Amino acid sequence: MSVRVRFAPSPTGELHIGGLRTALFNFLLARKHSGTFILRIEDTDRKRFDQHSADHIQQALRWAGLDWDEGPIFQSQRIEIYQKYSQELVDRGAAYPCFCTPERLEQMRKAQEAQKLPPRYDRRCRALSPRERNQFLVEGYPHTIRMMVPEGTTSFHDIVYGNITVRNQELDDQVLMRSDGYPTYHLGHLVDDHLMQITQVIRGEEWLPSTPKHVILYHAFGWEIPQLCHVPNILAGRGQGKLSKRHGAVSVIAYMQEGYLPQAVINFLALLGWSPGNDQEIFTMEELIQAFSLERVAHTGAIFNREKLNFTNGYYIRQTPLAELACQIKPYLVQAGQISAEDTIQQPFLLQALQTVQERMKTLSEAPDLLSFYFNPPEVPASLLVPKKSTMEEIRASLAGAISLLSTIEDFTAPVLEKALRQYTVENGLATARVLWPIRAALTGKEASPGAFEVLQVLGKDESLRRLEKALTVLDSPKTLD
Ligand code: GLU
């Protein structure tokens, strides 16, 4: 049987990075087996439905390269189907209408809480006689449909968690249909997984406790149960809980905005909870598809490691051809006011400048800061111009010498500049830092930046000399030097 899997998010907020990982695992399995990857939007909770979220989920999946083969299928457009199957369960004696009012249920919940009991429906409406039940229905009392949990135990197998058995007395008579006529997740997903011939249900571990109820429903319908695979949560740190908003950005859109590349996020997420069985760290999507298997998903929660994500992102940024990277950083430069939206990004000055910082860029959003000195001449205090173990007089002298030398060079390119400046240090018996540090500091205003030769070349002779002269004036009348 060919593999058919689905990603079935509820559009109630921004797509969590853990949701993207669930989508990825589904996608990888489908591609590996030349199967079908379905996108199903589970939008039956009308109170929490958010159209923006439904759009954003699709945008995030496309961005990440997780194209789906069928869908998006919106459950809200399939209501009659769930109503039919809910009725079928009632007819089979596996579900029943519940007329309890929200107020009564709320009181019951509070009483259980006070007695430290798990919240559970007390099954009052199970005990209604057929006559009472019919009468209420005829009179049109609002009602939900609840599953009737049978006695005994329920067992199933999960690919990650192994064999699980629970006593049914621990299970609640779950609401399957709300009083507004929409199904709850529990019925909706199950009916769809069956009708859509899903072969593997891959989803977050938070659904594991509900799975026995789903298994009971499969039995009640007489349907085959797909393979089940619950993926452990992404943890914020060792001994910490699930990664959530209080730990920083968790929505995929936030990572997109911060300038993480989709390949990096995919590579990073794949290794969160799944292991290839060797120490390979960088994977193309094609390699992931080849290597992936559900059997190698670990059942311990995987820890979200931001440094590792940054490292991976830095790797992919370095791999990106310069012209392409330039297009990717353009929106950030425009937003920072460094260029305008009409400016072409493919101009030699910008490309060369970008090349000098590509190596150290961890996210695209760092570009404006890393490149800032190219756009705006920095204010450089004397304290930055003078490296440790040098005096101001020494630096003034070496800088003045360097300026005279640079003003004689016509071919203002990094190799020529490097040769000339190194010769200058040797001839004058100067430590390299005494010459290169103040030049670099004067040009960039930064403690850490690309090297002096490259920056000189990108800024060009006139602008470089202007900045160096200015630094010399600062050294002549320093405002601060501590
Ligand atoms: N709508 C559910 C969610 O967003 C889907 C769970 C499942 O994949 O079965 O968590």
Side-chain angles (χ1 to χ4, degrees):
M1 195 165 40
S2 77
V3 166
R4 287 178 61 84
V5 289
R6 82 312 190 264
F7 177 51
S10 301
T12 53
E14 293 188 330
L15 181 61
H16 187 282
I17 193 90
L20 186 63
R21 185 190 55 163
T22 303
L24 173 64
F25 286 3
N26 276 284
F27 173 88
L28 293 176
L29 193 76
R31 291 292 172 267
K32 176 163 183 161
H33 298 284
S34 308
T36 306
F37 175 50
I38 300 167
L39 174 61
R40 188 171 73 218
I41 306 286
E42 301 204 321
D43 58 347
T44 59
D45 185 344
R46 300 315 284 171
K47 288 206 193 95
R48 297 178 62 212
F49 173 68
D50 170 5
Q51 179 59 48
H52 167 77
S53 158
D55 297 341
H56 158 230
I57 288 167
Q58 295 175 63
Q59 186 196 350
L61 291 178
R62 284 205 193 91
W63 171 79
L66 307 186
D67 300 318
W68 53 95
D69 309 302
E70 289 179 19
I73 296 161
F74 288 85
Q75 286 191 321
S76 59
Q77 293 167 9
R78 299 162 55 80
I79 299 307
E80 289 84 21
I81 300 176
Y82 312 117
Q83 286 168 346
K84 170 177 162 247
Y85 282 100
S86 150
Q87 188 56 46
E88 188 173 322
L89 287 177
V90 173
D91 294 344
R92 287 170 182 241
Y96 59 95
C98 169
F99 301 93
C100 292
T101 61
E103 294 71 36
R104 171 169 193 272
L105 296 173
E106 179 60 17
Q107 265 174 12
M108 196 173 67
R109 198 188 58 75
K110 282 206 180 118
Q112 286 166 340
E113 205 171 87
Q115 293 174 59
K116 302 217 174 346
L117 293 169
R120 212 51 70 78
Y121 177 55
D122 65 2
R123 299 182 172 175
R124 180 155 104 168
C125 289
R126 258 204 204 200
L128 293 176
S129 70
R131 208 175 55 82
E132 288 170 308
R133 200 169 278 163
N134 275 340
Q135 191 186 336
F136 287 154
L137 288 174
V138 169
E139 286 174 15
Y141 278 107
H143 63 276
T144 60
I145 301 291
R146 287 185 183 272
M147 70 183 286
M148 196 179 296
V149 173
E151 309 232 304
T153 58
T154 300
S155 302
F156 62 95
H157 179 77
D158 183 276
I159 296 179
V160 172
Y161 289 88
N163 291 330
I164 295 181
T165 298
V166 298
R167 289 180 306 169
N168 291 358
Q169 66 195 47
E170 282 157 24
L171 305 175
D172 197 10
D173 275 5
Q174 180 72 50
V175 172
L176 300 178
M177 292 295 286
R178 297 191 182 84
S179 56
D180 62 4
Y182 281 84
T184 59
Y185 159 70
H186 303 280
L187 181 69
H189 93 278
L190 190 119
V191 166
D192 280 347
D193 284 350
H194 174 70
L195 297 179
M196 295 170 194
Q197 298 175 312
I198 298 303
T199 47
Q200 283 85 6
V201 168
I202 306 165
R203 64 184 171 200
E205 75 165 88
E206 66 272 22
W207 296 110
L208 194 58
S210 305
T211 305
K213 291 184 275 196
H214 304 159
V215 170
I216 290 172
L217 291 173
Y218 276 113
H219 291 323
F221 279 120
W223 290 343
E224 197 182 324
I225 304 177
Q227 283 193 312
L228 300 168
C229 178
H230 288 87
V231 180
N233 283 332
I234 298 178
L235 306 177
R238 212 163 282 285
Q240 291 188 40
K242 186 179 166 190
L243 181 73
S244 70
K245 269 198 186 136
R246 69 197 157 90
H247 304 111
V250 287
S251 90
V252 178
I253 212 96
Y255 288 93
M256 289 164 73
Q257 283 165 354
E258 270 188 58
Y260 286 95
L261 302 183
Q263 311 92 293
V265 172
I266 288 298
N267 192 148
F268 170 75
L269 285 180
L271 294 174
L272 265 186
W274 169 78
S275 130
N278 57 31
D279 52 12
Q280 185 174 346
E281 297 228 310
I282 297 294
F283 285 84
T284 61
M285 188 69 104
E286 216 27 66
E287 287 171 327
L288 286 176
I289 291 170
Q290 293 310 322
F292 187 74
S293 79
L294 290 175
E295 284 66 32
R296 298 207 71 95
V297 174
H299 66 272
T300 44
I303 294 174
F304 185 88
N305 180 339
R306 179 69 88 132
E307 278 82 63
K308 188 156 178 215
L309 173 59
N310 287 344
F311 168 82
T312 311
N313 206 48
Y315 170 83
Y316 281 98
I317 286 179
R318 291 194 295 281
Q319 299 302 307
T320 306
L322 196 58
E324 196 180 318
L325 186 62
C327 294
Q328 289 168 346
I329 62 157
K330 182 174 178 184
Y332 297 93
L333 302 190
V334 172
Q335 206 195 3
Q338 289 170 330
I339 60 171
S340 80
E342 292 74 42
D343 285 337
T344 164
I345 192 79
Q346 307 293 347
Q347 39 179 305
F349 167 68
L350 289 177
L351 291 176
Q352 281 186 29
L354 179 56
Q355 191 166 31
T356 66
V357 300
Q358 181 173 15
E359 204 44 40
R360 59 177 63 223
M361 204 188 291
K362 294 281 181 284
T363 62
L364 301 177
S365 62
E366 289 175 354
D369 185 45
L370 289 172
L371 293 168
S372 60
F373 64 87
Y374 284 117
F375 296 102
N376 303 306
E379 289 299 325
V380 190
S383 55
L384 187 63
L385 292 166
V386 181
K388 286 196 196 82
K389 297 195 201 135
S390 297
T391 66
M392 202 156 51
E393 284 64 40
E394 288 166 341
I395 293 305
R396 190 188 294 119
S398 60
L399 189 56
I403 291 174
S404 331
L405 169 67
L406 290 171
S407 46
T408 65
I409 298 179
E410 285 313 318
D411 181 8
F412 222 69
T413 53
V416 172
L417 295 164
E418 173 163 9
K419 191 158 169 245
L421 285 167
R422 290 208 187 278
Q423 201 174 342
Y424 168 72
T425 57
V426 173
E427 277 168 8
N428 294 280
L430 299 169
T432 326
R434 202 186 277 188
V435 179
L436 296 188
W437 176 277
I439 293 180
R440 203 191 50 72
L443 299 177
T444 68
K446 288 178 186 277
E447 289 269 357
S449 75
F453 312 121
E454 297 165 274
V455 178
L456 282 165
Q457 173 177 331
V458 178
L459 285 175
K461 187 168 174 178
D462 292 352
E463 179 61 20
S464 296
L465 287 174
R466 238 191 318 276
R467 292 187 186 190
L468 296 175
E469 296 283 4
K470 190 170 146 202
L472 209 52
T473 6
V474 170
L475 289 175
D476 285 338
S477 54
K479 288 205 193 77
T480 54
L481 182 54
D482 21 273

